[in-house]
Amino acid sequence: MSFTNHRKMQLYGALLLLPAAVLLTTFAYLPTVTTVINSLFLPGFRGAPTEFVGLENYQVLFDDPTFWKVARNNLIYAVGTIPTSIALALGMALFVNGKLRGRGVVRMAYFTPTILPMIAAANIWMFFYAP
């Protein structure tokens, strides 16, 4: 492959990734950075300017016993549900992949809840654009 052809393929790949990168930056990275920056300030009330407090907000958060209780509950929930859901999904996939009478019907029963919201949304948009 020539150098110019290689460069064209790199540009093509970058252009294909550009929409996803813009959306990810707009809806994931930018709000996260903005939230971290805003967390370093106290909001001003009734038109008063915001006040920079640095890490004081985090100190107040870490000193709050409710925060630690909520963090513990979230950790327990995550440790309990994530491995369980992965094990169930893997077990169901192995079950459906095996020799099974009516395998197509079982697969359809598993896949239907995934596809139905997309069908409903498509019908709603079809109603809007072609009444």
Side-chain angles (χ1 to χ4, degrees):
M1 191 188 289
S2 70
F3 179 73
T4 56
N5 206 7
H6 183 68
R7 285 300 235 182
K8 284 182 184 178
M9 291 300 288
Q10 283 183 332
L11 178 64
Y12 182 66
L15 288 175
L16 285 174
L17 289 174
L18 187 64
V22 167
L23 289 172
L24 191 63
T25 300
T26 303
F27 295 108
Y29 299 144
L30 203 58
T32 302
V33 170
T34 304
T35 301
V36 169
I37 291 170
N38 286 338
S39 73
L40 302 174
F41 292 86
L42 273 179
F45 295 103
R46 298 185 184 201
T50 59
E51 178 187 346
F52 180 75
V53 291
L55 299 176
E56 186 179 325
N57 285 335
Y58 291 102
Q59 185 62 45
V60 170
L61 178 71
F62 292 141
D63 289 341
D64 186 4
T66 305
F67 167 75
W68 292 110
K69 185 174 183 178
V70 169
R72 181 180 156 271
N73 290 345
N74 278 322
L75 183 65
I76 291 169
Y77 180 77
V79 167
T81 58
I82 293 172
T84 304
S85 63
I86 290 173
L88 278 171
L90 185 60
M92 288 170 37
L94 290 172
F95 175 70
V96 172
N97 197 35
K99 298 281 185 204
L100 181 68
R101 262 179 77 105
R103 182 170 49 173
V105 174
V106 174
R107 285 181 176 174
M108 185 185 69
Y110 285 146
F111 193 61
T112 299
T114 304
I115 200 73
L116 276 179
M118 288 186 266
I119 293 170
N123 282 331
I124 290 169
W125 283 108
M126 207 165 62
F127 173 75
F128 284 145
Y129 287 124

